[in-house]
Amino acid sequence: MLTINKAKITETIRTMVMDANYFLDHSVTRSFHDYQKRERSQLARNVLQAIIDNEALARAEHIPLCQDTGIAVVLVEVGNLLHFDYSLEEAIQEGVRQGYHDGLLRKSIVRHPLRRVNTQDNTPAIIHVKLTMGDELKIHFAPKGGGSENMSRLLMLSPSAGEEGIRQFVAQTVVEAGGRPCPPIIVGLGIGGNFEKAALLAKEAIFRPIDDHASDPDDARLEQELLEMINALHVGPMALGGDTTCLAVKVNSHPCHIASLPVAINIQCHAARKSHATLKGESQ
C-alpha cells in the first residue's frame, strides 16, 4: 500500500502558495518581452515595461506580484495506487492556511457571501480532484485574482450558434471587461460538457503552459484565431490601447448533449500565477 505523509502534502502546498505569488513563470515573462517588441503603441510598451519591472522586483524581493493574492484554487490528480488514512482536503487546506500566513499574503476570503466576514486565513480553498492511474499525487495551485475572475462568463449557446457564436461571446466578454482584469490577459475557454463542466474546462485551461497548443486540431486552430481576434480589438495593456490585449488563448473541449453548446470563459490577468508539484507514494 502506497501513501504520502500528511505533513509533506501540507508543507508542499505551503511552499507552492508563496512561490506562485512571488515568482511568475519564466515563459510568461518571455511573452511580455516578445509582445513588447511587436507593440506599436509607445504607451502600451511603457505599460508592458512596468509589468516586466514589477515581476523582476517581486522575484528579487520575494514579495507578491499583486496586492490581490487571490482565492486559492487547487487542482489535484490522485493516483489510484495511493491510500490516505487522513483527510486529503484537510492537508491541503492547512497548507493554504500556512502559506498565506507565513508568506504575509493578503487574506481575501469571506465566510459567507452575504455576511462578508473574513476567514482571516484565506481558506477554504477551492479544490478539484481528478482520479488518475499510478502512484503519484500531482498538485496544481493558482491564486486567482478577483478582478479577472469577476470578468469571467458562461453561456449556454444553441448548437446553431457554432464557432461564430463563440467568437462573438469572447469578443463581447473581452470588450466589456476592459481594464478590470488587468490586461494583457490569458483566456481560458471551455467548450462542451454541460453547465458545470464547461466552467471547469475553462478553469483547467488557465493552468496550461502559455506556449502549448490544444491537442485537438480544431481547438488549436480556434486558439490562434481567437488570439488574433482579441488583439485586433486594441483594448491594450491595462485598457490603454495597443496591440497587446491577450497573451494566449487556451481551448479545452469535451463531448456534449446534441441540444447544447456550453461555453465558459475564465479570464486570467497578466499576473498568470500558478505552481505545480508532484509527490510520489511510498510504502507504509
Side-chain angles (χ1 to χ4, degrees):
M1 186 176 296
L2 301 177
T3 191
I4 299 171
N5 182 271
K6 182 180 180 181
K8 187 174 183 179
I9 294 175
T10 294
E11 177 58 27
T12 298
I13 295 286
R14 173 187 174 275
T15 301
M16 293 174 69
V17 166
M18 292 186 286
D19 285 353
N21 276 286
Y22 301 158
F23 312 127
L24 198 59
D25 190 279
H26 288 297
S27 62
V28 180
T29 59
R30 284 197 300 270
S31 184
F32 293 150
H33 286 283
D34 291 342
Y35 274 97
Q36 188 187 42
K37 292 174 183 176
R38 301 196 297 268
E39 177 60 59
R40 292 174 293 177
S41 163
Q42 182 60 53
L43 177 57
R45 288 197 299 272
N46 292 344
V47 174
L48 288 169
Q49 186 60 52
I51 291 172
I52 292 168
D53 293 343
N54 178 75
E55 186 279 332
L57 181 62
R59 183 180 299 276
E61 300 294 333
H62 289 205
I63 55 178
L65 283 150
C66 176
Q67 53 83 24
D68 181 356
T69 54
I71 184 169
V73 180
V74 185
L75 307 183
V76 185
E77 300 177 49
V78 183
N80 68 311
L81 299 179
L82 296 175
H83 168 75
F84 304 97
D85 60 0
Y86 55 84
S87 169
L88 179 59
E89 179 172 350
E90 287 181 6
I92 293 171
Q93 298 288 6
E94 181 59 26
V96 170
R97 186 176 295 111
Q98 292 181 16
Y100 275 84
H101 177 273
D102 298 347
L104 303 177
L105 305 174
R106 195 184 82 179
K107 321 305 189 293
S108 303
I109 305 306
V110 294
R111 191 167 302 283
H112 189 280
L114 298 180
R115 293 190 292 271
R116 316 301 291 184
V117 177
N118 200 295
T119 65
Q120 299 298 322
D121 60 9
N122 222 62
T123 69
I126 306 297
I127 302 174
H128 301 284
V129 178
K130 182 182 293 185
L131 301 178
T132 60
M133 302 298 289
D135 62 354
E136 293 181 338
L137 179 69
K138 295 182 179 180
I139 308 169
H140 312 278
F141 170 77
K144 193 63 169 66
S148 59
E149 197 74 352
N150 288 347
M151 296 299 101
S152 299
R153 299 289 185 266
L154 187 148
L155 185 63
M156 301 298 290
L157 287 171
S158 166
S160 62
E163 286 191 16
E164 184 55 32
I166 295 172
R167 289 189 181 90
Q168 291 178 7
F169 179 40
V170 171
Q172 179 183 359
T173 299
V174 172
V175 170
E176 290 180 353
R180 284 173 286 184
C182 298
I185 58 176
I186 294 173
V187 174
L189 190 63
I191 305 174
N194 62 355
F195 182 82
E196 74 271 16
K197 181 64 175 180
L200 183 56
L201 288 169
K203 180 68 70 182
E204 291 172 342
I206 67 168
F207 280 84
R208 287 171 45 193
I210 194 171
D211 51 3
D212 80 342
H213 303 284
S215 57
D216 181 273
D218 284 328
D219 293 348
R221 172 182 54 79
L222 194 57
E223 288 177 345
Q224 184 59 37
E225 292 176 358
L226 290 175
L227 176 62
E228 294 172 1
M229 180 200 74
I230 293 170
N231 283 328
L233 297 171
H234 298 295
V235 174
M238 297 301 181
L240 294 174
D243 305 311
T244 314
T245 303
C246 184
L247 300 176
V249 177
K250 303 297 176 183
V251 176
N252 286 350
S253 63
H254 193 274
C256 64
H257 192 279
I258 57 173
S260 298
L261 179 55
V263 183
I265 300 171
N266 194 217
I267 293 181
Q268 174 64 290
C269 65
H270 69 264
R273 302 164 295 181
K274 56 182 182 288
S275 54
H276 309 273
T278 299
L279 301 177
K280 200 171 184 66
E282 298 177 348
S283 299
Q284 285 185 321

